[in-house]
Amino acid sequence: MNAPTAWGERCRQLAEPVVEACSVTPAAAGPAALAHEIRKHLPDWPFREVLCRGGWYRLGGVLEADGVRVSDNLEQWAVAELEARDGELGALLDDYGGSTLRATHLRGRTHYFAAAAPGRASTDFVQLEVEALQETWASPLFRDGAAPGTLDELIDAPCGGEACAGEHGPRCGTPVEAAHYRFRRLTHVGDLLARMRTQALEPQPIHRFVADWDASSAGPATAFCNHWAIALREHLDRFRQTLVCATPIPALTGEAPRFGAREGASGLSLHAALLAFDRAVGYPMAWYFGMLAGKAVGHWVPAAVASDAAAGFSYLPERDLAVLRQWLHRPYAF
């Protein structure tokens, strides 16, 4: 996974102007303004937003109650302070007793953009991830009456309600400064999936997902990157090699549509539910891929569709039935 590739180098080159675009575009202007700024730097790469995911945060820095910054990195600051006391958390708490130091959080949203790359494969596209980050006030680090037992409990304590305001400064969640964009990652998806195949003997679920897309009616009907973003997660194995996990995320506005059939349905009623779901999402076989990467459609549906086909009521093209039969033989999901 660590070997460089031509696309890896190309993405590093493309990242430089994207970083510049992020630095000059205020997050308040919105992702459309960011995409416009990126196109100024990269006119041959018409990135468009596919998906936005929010509701997460990471640890921020350390501030005095009056807003004077002590550190940009809360975790590093806390580790250094603990090491200076030979790892004695009690000594750290005693030394800072009565302190009004506050933690901050970086609350964020991840914007996924996509742009087609040369090639005919469904994964021949470049995915850009940009974070919109808002630093906010979090809990006082050394709140009266608090007794953290570990360093993690100290630096990521829950909000203490009224104790987080008043003499300790702004309430939890109050912005420290204006939100800003931060470049996260630029990836050629096809190149990444090819490299991921070297991680294990068997294809990962994402490889089967893409293969099913190409084999089904969805493949020729629409571009994969119009309907899916790829969430990436990295970790180290026991040999200290970087492994990547990839999960498809549907590019839907709001919740997935309700599937209009219950377990046990068959025939015309099931067919109508499949058509309605596909129509609502915007491409054929959307119900199948929504089943694999979501919870809107139950795993009982492929067997019911295959049973209808075996009984002579076949309402799916043969290519789609072949995909279902293969899944029934070897099920998978995310």
Side-chain angles (χ1 to χ4, degrees):
M1 276 298 299
N2 295 325
T5 66
W7 268 114
E9 179 58 33
R10 181 67 175 128
C11 285
R12 280 189 287 273
Q13 295 171 356
L14 293 173
E16 295 180 7
V18 174
V19 171
E20 173 64 22
C22 290
S23 70
V24 300
T25 306
L34 177 60
H36 179 73
E37 186 65 30
I38 292 172
R39 281 194 290 272
K40 291 181 182 179
H41 297 268
L42 298 171
D44 295 332
W45 294 88
F47 282 101
R48 68 192 185 287
E49 187 183 26
V50 176
L51 177 67
C52 177
R53 300 178 76 196
W56 55 267
Y57 77 91
R58 66 172 65 108
L59 299 179
V62 182
L63 301 179
E64 296 280 3
D66 59 4
V68 175
R69 188 170 297 275
V70 176
S71 173
D72 286 325
N73 192 307
L74 168 59
E75 187 171 15
Q76 289 182 4
W77 176 87
V79 169
E81 291 291 321
L82 187 64
E83 289 178 348
R85 293 161 179 81
D86 298 322
E88 292 293 333
L89 182 61
L92 175 61
L93 298 177
D94 288 341
D95 288 349
Y96 278 97
S99 167
T100 58
L101 290 179
R102 293 280 296 271
T104 69
H105 287 164
L106 292 174
R107 299 194 174 274
R109 301 185 306 277
T110 303
H111 296 275
Y112 293 84
F113 299 82
R120 302 180 61 123
S122 57
T123 55
D124 281 327
F125 68 95
V126 174
Q127 177 175 279
L128 165 64
E129 298 169 51
V130 173
E131 297 173 340
L133 298 175
Q134 173 75 73
E135 187 176 22
T136 62
W137 290 87
S139 294
L141 287 168
F142 305 98
R143 190 167 60 231
D144 291 341
T150 67
L151 192 65
D152 286 342
E153 291 179 4
L154 171 67
I155 63 178
D156 199 11
C159 176
E162 291 300 319
C164 291
E167 61 179 337
H168 294 293
R171 293 179 180 273
C172 289
T174 302
V176 173
E177 55 188 19
H180 63 279
Y181 284 124
R182 177 183 293 175
F183 170 80
R184 170 66 173 158
R185 182 162 37 207
L186 193 64
T187 309
H188 185 285
V189 172
D191 178 67
L192 173 70
L193 296 187
R195 289 185 289 124
M196 286 175 61
R197 281 190 173 274
T198 66
Q199 294 182 173
L201 295 177
E202 292 293 323
Q204 294 190 28
I206 186 63
H207 295 112
R208 291 187 61 187
F209 189 87
V210 172
D212 283 352
W213 179 276
D214 293 337
S216 74
S217 297
T222 185
F224 182 86
C225 63
N226 286 344
H227 301 280
W228 298 94
I230 306 297
L232 302 175
R233 181 172 57 84
E234 297 181 351
H235 67 277
L236 297 178
D237 66 9
R238 60 194 179 99
F239 301 108
R240 308 297 294 176
Q241 296 296 310
T242 301
L243 299 182
V244 178
C245 294
T247 303
I249 307 297
L252 298 173
T253 301
E255 297 294 325
R258 178 181 173 275
F259 187 65
R262 295 183 178 181
E263 188 168 1
S266 62
L268 289 173
S269 63
L270 180 56
H271 183 207
L274 301 182
L275 288 177
F277 193 94
D278 289 354
R279 191 177 299 115
V281 176
Y283 63 89
M285 285 287 278
W287 67 267
Y288 173 73
F289 295 101
M291 176 195 74
L292 296 177
K295 298 181 179 179
V297 181
H299 286 192
W300 60 269
V301 177
V305 173
S307 180
D308 280 347
F313 183 39
S314 181
Y315 38 79
L316 291 185
E318 182 57 37
R319 65 189 297 166
D320 295 341
L321 286 173
V323 169
L324 296 190
R325 294 187 185 107
Q326 185 175 9
W327 184 86
L328 288 168
H329 179 64
R330 291 180 59 216
Y332 73 98
F334 294 91

Tab-separated table of all heavy atoms in Angstrom, residues 219-265:
chain	number	residue	atom	x	y	z
A	219	GLY	N	-24.622	0.343	-13.695
A	219	GLY	CA	-23.355	0.717	-14.324
A	219	GLY	C	-23.510	1.536	-15.594
A	219	GLY	O	-22.969	2.645	-15.699
A	220	PRO	N	-24.233	1.016	-16.601
A	220	PRO	CA	-24.375	1.795	-17.840
A	220	PRO	C	-25.350	2.958	-17.734
A	220	PRO	O	-25.408	3.803	-18.632
A	220	PRO	CB	-24.883	0.748	-18.845
A	220	PRO	CG	-25.557	-0.286	-18.016
A	220	PRO	CD	-24.797	-0.333	-16.722
A	221	ALA	N	-26.129	3.015	-16.635
A	221	ALA	CA	-27.169	4.038	-16.529
A	221	ALA	C	-26.649	5.374	-16.015
A	221	ALA	O	-27.159	6.433	-16.389
A	221	ALA	CB	-28.297	3.541	-15.625
A	222	THR	N	-25.636	5.352	-15.163
A	222	THR	CA	-25.190	6.592	-14.520
A	222	THR	C	-23.778	6.420	-13.986
A	222	THR	O	-23.294	5.291	-13.832
A	222	THR	CB	-26.149	6.977	-13.362
A	222	THR	OG1	-25.779	8.236	-12.814
A	222	THR	CG2	-26.138	5.931	-12.260
A	223	ALA	N	-23.117	7.525	-13.707
A	223	ALA	CA	-21.753	7.487	-13.170
A	223	ALA	C	-21.787	7.141	-11.682
A	223	ALA	O	-22.595	7.678	-10.925
A	223	ALA	CB	-21.061	8.826	-13.379
A	224	PHE	N	-20.904	6.262	-11.284
A	224	PHE	CA	-20.805	5.840	-9.889
A	224	PHE	C	-20.616	7.040	-8.965
A	224	PHE	O	-21.254	7.144	-7.917
A	224	PHE	CB	-19.635	4.863	-9.753
A	224	PHE	CG	-19.429	4.309	-8.378
A	224	PHE	CD1	-20.117	3.179	-7.961
A	224	PHE	CD2	-18.547	4.904	-7.492
A	224	PHE	CE1	-19.928	2.651	-6.683
A	224	PHE	CE2	-18.348	4.389	-6.213
A	224	PHE	CZ	-19.047	3.267	-5.818
A	225	CYS	N	-19.729	7.975	-9.356
A	225	CYS	CA	-19.400	9.098	-8.477
A	225	CYS	C	-20.521	10.125	-8.380
A	225	CYS	O	-20.434	11.055	-7.580
A	225	CYS	CB	-18.096	9.756	-8.914
A	225	CYS	SG	-18.130	10.486	-10.567
A	226	ASN	N	-21.582	9.969	-9.178
A	226	ASN	CA	-22.743	10.843	-9.018
A	226	ASN	C	-23.571	10.460	-7.805
A	226	ASN	O	-24.362	11.269	-7.303
A	226	ASN	CB	-23.640	10.781	-10.254
A	226	ASN	CG	-23.056	11.521	-11.439
A	226	ASN	OD1	-22.140	12.320	-11.289
A	226	ASN	ND2	-23.582	11.238	-12.616
A	227	HIS	N	-23.401	9.222	-7.347
A	227	HIS	CA	-24.296	8.699	-6.325
A	227	HIS	C	-23.590	8.189	-5.079
A	227	HIS	O	-24.265	7.865	-4.096
A	227	HIS	CB	-25.138	7.569	-6.913
A	227	HIS	CG	-25.966	7.985	-8.083
A	227	HIS	ND1	-27.168	8.650	-7.945
A	227	HIS	CD2	-25.745	7.883	-9.415
A	227	HIS	CE1	-27.673	8.918	-9.144
A	227	HIS	NE2	-26.836	8.458	-10.049
A	228	TRP	N	-22.259	8.121	-5.114
A	228	TRP	CA	-21.537	7.558	-3.976
A	228	TRP	C	-20.275	8.340	-3.685
A	228	TRP	O	-19.572	8.787	-4.585
A	228	TRP	CB	-21.156	6.095	-4.255
A	228	TRP	CG	-22.341	5.214	-4.444
A	228	TRP	CD1	-22.936	4.865	-5.622
A	228	TRP	CD2	-23.120	4.613	-3.401
A	228	TRP	NE1	-24.032	4.083	-5.377
A	228	TRP	CE2	-24.170	3.909	-4.038
A	228	TRP	CE3	-23.030	4.593	-2.014
A	228	TRP	CZ2	-25.117	3.195	-3.309
A	228	TRP	CZ3	-23.977	3.888	-1.289
A	228	TRP	CH2	-25.002	3.199	-1.941
A	229	ALA	N	-20.013	8.510	-2.395
A	229	ALA	CA	-18.694	8.943	-1.922
A	229	ALA	C	-18.069	7.753	-1.207
A	229	ALA	O	-18.765	6.825	-0.782
A	229	ALA	CB	-18.830	10.120	-0.959
A	230	ILE	N	-16.755	7.764	-1.111
A	230	ILE	CA	-16.033	6.666	-0.479
A	230	ILE	C	-15.399	7.186	0.811
A	230	ILE	O	-14.514	8.050	0.769
A	230	ILE	CB	-14.941	6.080	-1.392
A	230	ILE	CG1	-15.546	5.670	-2.744
A	230	ILE	CG2	-14.281	4.888	-0.719
A	230	ILE	CD1	-16.573	4.576	-2.664
A	231	ALA	N	-15.876	6.681	1.942
A	231	ALA	CA	-15.292	7.037	3.240
A	231	ALA	C	-14.087	6.134	3.479
A	231	ALA	O	-14.196	4.904	3.394
A	231	ALA	CB	-16.313	6.869	4.353
A	232	LEU	N	-12.948	6.736	3.776
A	232	LEU	CA	-11.700	5.999	3.940
A	232	LEU	C	-11.240	6.035	5.389
A	232	LEU	O	-11.347	7.068	6.058
A	232	LEU	CB	-10.612	6.599	3.039
A	232	LEU	CG	-10.936	6.636	1.542
A	232	LEU	CD1	-9.845	7.363	0.779
A	232	LEU	CD2	-11.130	5.229	0.989
A	233	ARG	N	-10.736	4.925	5.840
A	233	ARG	CA	-10.192	4.834	7.200
A	233	ARG	C	-8.891	4.036	7.140
A	233	ARG	O	-8.839	2.969	6.526
A	233	ARG	CB	-11.190	4.151	8.134
A	233	ARG	CG	-10.726	4.024	9.563
A	233	ARG	CD	-11.862	3.523	10.449
A	233	ARG	NE	-12.405	2.253	9.983
A	233	ARG	CZ	-11.883	1.058	10.292
A	233	ARG	NH1	-10.811	0.981	11.066
A	233	ARG	NH2	-12.434	-0.047	9.840
A	234	GLU	N	-7.855	4.574	7.764
A	234	GLU	CA	-6.542	3.921	7.758
A	234	GLU	C	-6.181	3.436	9.162
A	234	GLU	O	-6.531	4.073	10.155
A	234	GLU	CB	-5.461	4.891	7.268
A	234	GLU	CG	-5.645	5.349	5.833
A	234	GLU	CD	-4.538	6.286	5.382
A	234	GLU	OE1	-3.729	6.700	6.245
A	234	GLU	OE2	-4.490	6.602	4.181
A	235	HIS	N	-5.483	2.306	9.221
A	235	HIS	CA	-4.939	1.823	10.483
A	235	HIS	C	-3.689	1.001	10.193
A	235	HIS	O	-3.436	0.602	9.045
A	235	HIS	CB	-5.965	0.993	11.251
A	235	HIS	CG	-6.327	-0.306	10.584
A	235	HIS	ND1	-7.271	-0.391	9.586
A	235	HIS	CD2	-5.859	-1.572	10.776
A	235	HIS	CE1	-7.385	-1.640	9.188
A	235	HIS	NE2	-6.535	-2.380	9.890
A	236	LEU	N	-2.895	0.760	11.221
A	236	LEU	CA	-1.667	-0.010	11.075
A	236	LEU	C	-1.912	-1.451	11.503
A	236	LEU	O	-2.542	-1.702	12.537
A	236	LEU	CB	-0.544	0.600	11.928
A	236	LEU	CG	-0.096	2.014	11.560
A	236	LEU	CD1	0.985	2.479	12.524
A	236	LEU	CD2	0.415	2.074	10.122
A	237	ASP	N	-1.407	-2.396	10.704
A	237	ASP	CA	-1.508	-3.797	11.101
A	237	ASP	C	-0.358	-4.147	12.045
A	237	ASP	O	0.436	-3.281	12.434
A	237	ASP	CB	-1.537	-4.712	9.875
A	237	ASP	CG	-0.223	-4.698	9.087
A	237	ASP	OD1	0.785	-4.118	9.569
A	237	ASP	OD2	-0.195	-5.278	7.989
A	238	ARG	N	-0.252	-5.425	12.419
A	238	ARG	CA	0.770	-5.805	13.399
A	238	ARG	C	2.183	-5.706	12.848
A	238	ARG	O	3.148	-5.755	13.607
A	238	ARG	CB	0.499	-7.231	13.900
A	238	ARG	CG	0.504	-8.303	12.830
A	238	ARG	CD	-0.100	-9.589	13.377
A	238	ARG	NE	-0.132	-10.649	12.384
A	238	ARG	CZ	0.771	-11.620	12.316
A	238	ARG	NH1	1.764	-11.647	13.179
A	238	ARG	NH2	0.676	-12.556	11.390
A	239	PHE	N	2.303	-5.548	11.515
A	239	PHE	CA	3.616	-5.363	10.911
A	239	PHE	C	3.904	-3.888	10.639
A	239	PHE	O	4.850	-3.554	9.925
A	239	PHE	CB	3.709	-6.157	9.602
A	239	PHE	CG	3.475	-7.631	9.776
A	239	PHE	CD1	2.308	-8.226	9.316
A	239	PHE	CD2	4.421	-8.419	10.425
A	239	PHE	CE1	2.083	-9.582	9.482
A	239	PHE	CE2	4.208	-9.782	10.587
A	239	PHE	CZ	3.046	-10.370	10.122
A	240	ARG	N	3.048	-3.006	11.193
A	240	ARG	CA	3.191	-1.547	11.040
A	240	ARG	C	3.000	-1.097	9.595
A	240	ARG	O	3.524	-0.069	9.178
A	240	ARG	CB	4.555	-1.053	11.564
A	240	ARG	CG	4.899	-1.500	12.964
A	240	ARG	CD	3.913	-0.960	13.994
A	240	ARG	NE	3.990	0.493	14.114
A	240	ARG	CZ	3.184	1.211	14.885
A	240	ARG	NH1	2.207	0.617	15.559
A	240	ARG	NH2	3.328	2.514	14.955
A	241	GLN	N	2.238	-1.882	8.840
A	241	GLN	CA	1.891	-1.503	7.479
A	241	GLN	C	0.518	-0.829	7.478
A	241	GLN	O	-0.388	-1.239	8.205
A	241	GLN	CB	1.858	-2.733	6.563
A	241	GLN	CG	3.205	-3.423	6.402
A	241	GLN	CD	4.228	-2.533	5.711
A	241	GLN	OE1	3.948	-1.959	4.651
A	241	GLN	NE2	5.400	-2.411	6.309
A	242	THR	N	0.373	0.204	6.653
A	242	THR	CA	-0.881	0.934	6.586
A	242	THR	C	-1.916	0.152	5.789
A	242	THR	O	-1.672	-0.231	4.647
A	242	THR	CB	-0.682	2.311	5.937
A	242	THR	OG1	0.265	3.064	6.691
A	242	THR	CG2	-2.002	3.077	5.886
A	243	LEU	N	-3.050	-0.103	6.408
A	243	LEU	CA	-4.173	-0.744	5.739
A	243	LEU	C	-5.302	0.265	5.597
A	243	LEU	O	-5.518	1.100	6.470
A	243	LEU	CB	-4.657	-1.953	6.532
A	243	LEU	CG	-3.650	-3.084	6.751
A	243	LEU	CD1	-4.307	-4.231	7.509
A	243	LEU	CD2	-3.083	-3.579	5.422
A	244	VAL	N	-6.013	0.163	4.495
A	244	VAL	CA	-7.093	1.101	4.202
A	244	VAL	C	-8.405	0.338	4.119
A	244	VAL	O	-8.481	-0.725	3.485
A	244	VAL	CB	-6.848	1.853	2.881
A	244	VAL	CG1	-8.005	2.793	2.580
A	244	VAL	CG2	-5.541	2.630	2.948
A	245	CYS	N	-9.424	0.850	4.772
A	245	CYS	CA	-10.785	0.337	4.647
A	245	CYS	C	-11.610	1.399	3.924
A	245	CYS	O	-11.494	2.589	4.218
A	245	CYS	CB	-11.393	0.034	6.011
A	245	CYS	SG	-10.593	-1.315	6.898
A	246	ALA	N	-12.432	0.951	2.988
A	246	ALA	CA	-13.243	1.875	2.193
A	246	ALA	C	-14.711	1.480	2.296
A	246	ALA	O	-15.059	0.311	2.114
A	246	ALA	CB	-12.788	1.856	0.737
A	247	THR	N	-15.558	2.450	2.577
A	247	THR	CA	-16.994	2.215	2.731
A	247	THR	C	-17.757	3.178	1.833
A	247	THR	O	-17.544	4.392	1.908
A	247	THR	CB	-17.430	2.430	4.188
A	247	THR	OG1	-16.671	1.565	5.041
A	247	THR	CG2	-18.911	2.141	4.356
A	248	PRO	N	-18.649	2.681	0.985
A	248	PRO	CA	-19.443	3.584	0.145
A	248	PRO	C	-20.529	4.275	0.967
A	248	PRO	O	-21.209	3.643	1.780
A	248	PRO	CB	-20.046	2.643	-0.908
A	248	PRO	CG	-20.111	1.309	-0.232
A	248	PRO	CD	-18.949	1.260	0.727
A	249	ILE	N	-20.675	5.577	0.754
A	249	ILE	CA	-21.687	6.372	1.450
A	249	ILE	C	-22.622	6.961	0.393
A	249	ILE	O	-22.165	7.648	-0.519
A	249	ILE	CB	-21.041	7.518	2.258
A	249	ILE	CG1	-19.946	6.972	3.175
A	249	ILE	CG2	-22.108	8.260	3.047
A	249	ILE	CD1	-20.426	6.016	4.228
A	250	PRO	N	-23.920	6.706	0.488
A	250	PRO	CA	-24.833	7.228	-0.541
A	250	PRO	C	-24.900	8.748	-0.521
A	250	PRO	O	-24.983	9.369	0.541
A	250	PRO	CB	-26.183	6.598	-0.175
A	250	PRO	CG	-26.069	6.256	1.279
A	250	PRO	CD	-24.628	5.929	1.519
A	251	ALA	N	-24.839	9.325	-1.695
A	251	ALA	CA	-24.885	10.786	-1.828
A	251	ALA	C	-26.343	11.227	-1.891
A	251	ALA	O	-26.850	11.662	-2.928
A	251	ALA	CB	-24.123	11.225	-3.074
A	252	LEU	N	-27.021	11.103	-0.755
A	252	LEU	CA	-28.428	11.455	-0.663
A	252	LEU	C	-28.592	12.738	0.145
A	252	LEU	O	-27.824	13.003	1.068
A	252	LEU	CB	-29.218	10.339	0.021
A	252	LEU	CG	-29.242	8.986	-0.681
A	252	LEU	CD1	-29.923	7.950	0.211
A	252	LEU	CD2	-29.965	9.086	-2.018
A	253	THR	N	-29.604	13.510	-0.196
A	253	THR	CA	-29.966	14.668	0.603
A	253	THR	C	-31.002	14.215	1.622
A	253	THR	O	-32.135	13.881	1.271
A	253	THR	CB	-30.545	15.785	-0.280
A	253	THR	OG1	-29.570	16.156	-1.260
A	253	THR	CG2	-30.899	16.997	0.566
A	254	GLY	N	-30.609	14.170	2.878
A	254	GLY	CA	-31.515	13.675	3.903
A	254	GLY	C	-31.492	12.161	3.994
A	254	GLY	O	-30.541	11.498	3.579
A	255	GLU	N	-32.570	11.597	4.516
A	255	GLU	CA	-32.663	10.163	4.725
A	255	GLU	C	-32.966	9.434	3.422
A	255	GLU	O	-33.498	10.017	2.467
A	255	GLU	CB	-33.760	9.852	5.753
A	255	GLU	CG	-33.496	10.428	7.137
A	255	GLU	CD	-32.303	9.793	7.805
A	255	GLU	OE1	-32.082	8.573	7.598
A	255	GLU	OE2	-31.579	10.505	8.525
A	256	ALA	N	-32.617	8.147	3.394
A	256	ALA	CA	-32.966	7.312	2.253
A	256	ALA	C	-34.484	7.187	2.171
A	256	ALA	O	-35.179	7.244	3.194
A	256	ALA	CB	-32.335	5.934	2.397
A	257	PRO	N	-35.035	7.015	0.973
A	257	PRO	CA	-36.490	6.858	0.876
A	257	PRO	C	-36.966	5.596	1.590
A	257	PRO	O	-36.210	4.638	1.759
A	257	PRO	CB	-36.727	6.767	-0.641
A	257	PRO	CG	-35.417	6.367	-1.221
A	257	PRO	CD	-34.372	6.967	-0.341
A	258	ARG	N	-38.193	5.626	2.006
A	258	ARG	CA	-38.778	4.453	2.679
A	258	ARG	C	-39.055	3.370	1.652
A	258	ARG	O	-39.587	3.637	0.576
A	258	ARG	CB	-40.063	4.860	3.385
A	258	ARG	CG	-40.793	3.718	4.068
A	258	ARG	CD	-42.072	4.207	4.713
A	258	ARG	NE	-42.868	3.097	5.227
A	258	ARG	CZ	-43.722	2.384	4.500
A	258	ARG	NH1	-43.889	2.698	3.209
A	258	ARG	NH2	-44.406	1.394	5.031
A	259	PHE	N	-38.676	2.145	1.990
A	259	PHE	CA	-38.957	1.021	1.106
A	259	PHE	C	-40.388	0.565	1.341
A	259	PHE	O	-40.784	0.258	2.465
A	259	PHE	CB	-37.984	-0.125	1.373
A	259	PHE	CG	-38.091	-1.257	0.384
A	259	PHE	CD1	-37.772	-1.047	-0.949
A	259	PHE	CD2	-38.508	-2.509	0.785
A	259	PHE	CE1	-37.865	-2.076	-1.868
A	259	PHE	CE2	-38.598	-3.547	-0.123
A	259	PHE	CZ	-38.277	-3.329	-1.460
A	260	GLY	N	-41.171	0.507	0.268
A	260	GLY	CA	-42.606	0.314	0.408
A	260	GLY	C	-43.085	-1.112	0.427
A	260	GLY	O	-44.181	-1.391	-0.082
A	261	ALA	N	-42.311	-2.031	0.963
A	261	ALA	CA	-42.763	-3.418	1.088
A	261	ALA	C	-42.190	-4.007	2.368
A	261	ALA	O	-41.082	-3.660	2.770
A	261	ALA	CB	-42.333	-4.243	-0.120
A	262	ARG	N	-42.952	-4.888	2.978
A	262	ARG	CA	-42.500	-5.555	4.188
A	262	ARG	C	-42.094	-6.980	3.876
A	262	ARG	O	-42.456	-7.547	2.847
A	262	ARG	CB	-43.612	-5.547	5.240
A	262	ARG	CG	-43.972	-4.146	5.727
A	262	ARG	CD	-45.022	-4.205	6.824
A	262	ARG	NE	-45.332	-2.871	7.335
A	262	ARG	CZ	-46.195	-2.639	8.316
A	262	ARG	NH1	-46.832	-3.675	8.899
A	262	ARG	NH2	-46.422	-1.410	8.734
A	263	GLU	N	-41.324	-7.552	4.808
A	263	GLU	CA	-40.876	-8.927	4.629
A	263	GLU	C	-42.076	-9.841	4.411
A	263	GLU	O	-43.072	-9.769	5.122
A	263	GLU	CB	-40.067	-9.387	5.835
A	263	GLU	CG	-39.401	-10.728	5.646
A	263	GLU	CD	-38.375	-11.044	6.717
A	263	GLU	OE1	-38.204	-10.208	7.634
A	263	GLU	OE2	-37.736	-12.105	6.635
A	264	GLY	N	-41.950	-10.683	3.387
A	264	GLY	CA	-43.049	-11.555	2.993
A	264	GLY	C	-43.716	-11.107	1.716
A	264	GLY	O	-44.461	-11.886	1.094
A	265	ALA	N	-43.467	-9.863	1.298
A	265	ALA	CA	-44.057	-9.362	0.056
A	265	ALA	C	-43.444	-10.084	-1.138
A	265	ALA	O	-42.307	-10.548	-1.109
A	265	ALA	CB	-43.833	-7.861	-0.059
